[in-house]
Structure formats: structure tokens, C-alpha cells
Amino acid sequence: KLLLIITIVSFTLQAQNLTVSSGTSFTVDKTGSVTITGNFSNSGTFTLNSDADEFSSIIVSGSSTGNIDYNRYVNAVGTDEWDLIGSPLDGVSISTFVTNNTNGTATLATNGSAYAVGEYDNATDTWTNYTTATAGVDEAAGNFDIGKGYQMASVDGGTELLKFTGAPVSTPQTQPIIDND
């Protein structure tokens, strides 16, 4: 059996169909991109990377099956340092994201029971962060709403990137914009 490991270092790949088989990995560098005019299937490991000002991408025009990982740069916690981040993938559990990114070497910032992930309430002009009570392991927080911005901050500005795990989408996403002024 041949084990295939592919690393894209800094170029654009265009393919009609792309399949990443079990036991193989495909990594897209922070400056790379993958455009698939047909279908995408992943049962191996497919990873997108980023840094402070470069973000890899995958665009799928056909169907998409299997989850991928996006290692997303998120700015360090501090005054005027938080980033607005939309989940780049579908089906990303907020509770799982928080758990995976506050254990081990991951760097999601915390303050007591509050995580550095929050939503804006346009009606009250306030931010509310998820806490151990609202984003605990019981999945009560649900999934990130793809295309919606969330405030986020890391401990060290992305030395260890925050990992999103979910499915790439192949349909346009929309979010309503509310202007209370």
C-alpha cells in the first residue's frame, strides 16, 4: 500500500474533482488555494493554514463530503486587538471548538469562566461571550452560524492557530445586516 502525503507550499491548485483517501493528508499553505470545479471528498486529513495576513482557501463548485481542518490565525487578546471571525466551515460545534482550543497547546484566551468567543447583540449594542456554562461539553451553544462574525481572541496572537473542524460548503452563504441607526 502506498501512503500519499501531499503538501501544497504556495501555489494555486485547480481540479475537476478531488478525493483525499483515508490514510493520506493534503495540506494547503497559508498562501495557497484549491479550486475544485467538480466534487470534493475527504476521508483522510485535509488542512488549510493561515497567519496574520495570509489565509488559504478551498472553493468547491460541486458536492462536498467529509470534514476538513482550518488552522485560523486569531489576534491576541488585548485592548482593540480582538478579531471578528466567521466560521470558515459548516457544522462547527461552538462547544467542541472551545474545548479543542483551550486544551493542550491551543490558545483560545479565557478569563475565569469566560471564553474569548462572543456574539454581538445589535438591539442592546453589547457583546456577550460564551462561558463554561453556555459552551460546556453538553453542546448547548450549538454550531457557529456560517458567515456570521464572532469576536475572538487568542492568548498569543496565533503561535498555535485556532482549529475549526467542519465541512466546506459549496453554496453561497448569506447573513442579514441590521442597521439600528
Side-chain angles (χ1 to χ4, degrees), residues 67-80:
N67 285 342
I68 68 173
D69 294 326
Y70 197 110
N71 295 321
R72 179 65 162 82
Y73 172 88
V74 176
N75 212 351
V77 68
T79 304
D80 298 325

Side-chain angles (χ1 to χ4, degrees), residues 143-172:
N143 291 344
F144 284 108
D145 188 358
I146 192 165
K148 178 179 178 178
Y150 294 80
Q151 70 170 355
M152 292 186 191
S154 67
V155 171
D156 60 9
T159 300
E160 293 293 329
L161 304 172
L162 300 182
K163 183 190 290 188
F164 289 85
T165 300
V169 296
S170 57
T171 58

Side-chain angles (χ1 to χ4, degrees), residues 93-104 106 108 115 135-137 139:
S93 159
I94 295 169
S95 296
T96 301
F97 173 83
V98 164
T99 299
N100 290 345
N101 286 291
T102 55
N103 293 327
L108 181 65
Y115 300 113
V137 296
E139 300 292 325

Side-chain angles (χ1 to χ4, degrees), residues 5-29:
I5 298 175
I6 298 175
T7 300
I8 294 182
V9 179
S10 290
F11 63 88
T12 300
L13 171 70
Q14 294 186 359
Q16 181 174 357
N17 295 302
L18 180 62
T19 299
V20 180
S21 300
S22 178
T24 63
S25 65
F26 192 112
T27 301
V28 182
D29 189 58

Side-chain angles (χ1 to χ4, degrees), residues 11-96:
F11 63 88
T12 300
L13 171 70
Q14 294 186 359
Q16 181 174 357
N17 295 302
L18 180 62
T19 299
V20 180
S21 300
S22 178
T24 63
S25 65
F26 192 112
T27 301
V28 182
D29 189 58
K30 62 188 178 186
T31 60
S33 65
V34 176
T35 301
I36 304 163
T37 58
N39 302 321
F40 171 72
S41 175
N42 179 41
S43 58
T45 302
F46 188 98
T47 305
L48 297 167
N49 289 312
S50 68
D51 69 9
D53 60 0
E54 297 168 305
F55 305 90
S56 61
S57 69
I58 182 173
I59 298 172
V60 180
S61 296
S63 66
S64 177
T65 58
N67 285 342
I68 68 173
D69 294 326
Y70 197 110
N71 295 321
R72 179 65 162 82
Y73 172 88
V74 176
N75 212 351
V77 68
T79 304
D80 298 325
E81 298 298 326
W82 290 53
D83 282 337
L84 292 178
I85 305 292
S87 175
L89 304 169
D90 196 24
V92 178
S93 159
I94 295 169
S95 296
T96 301

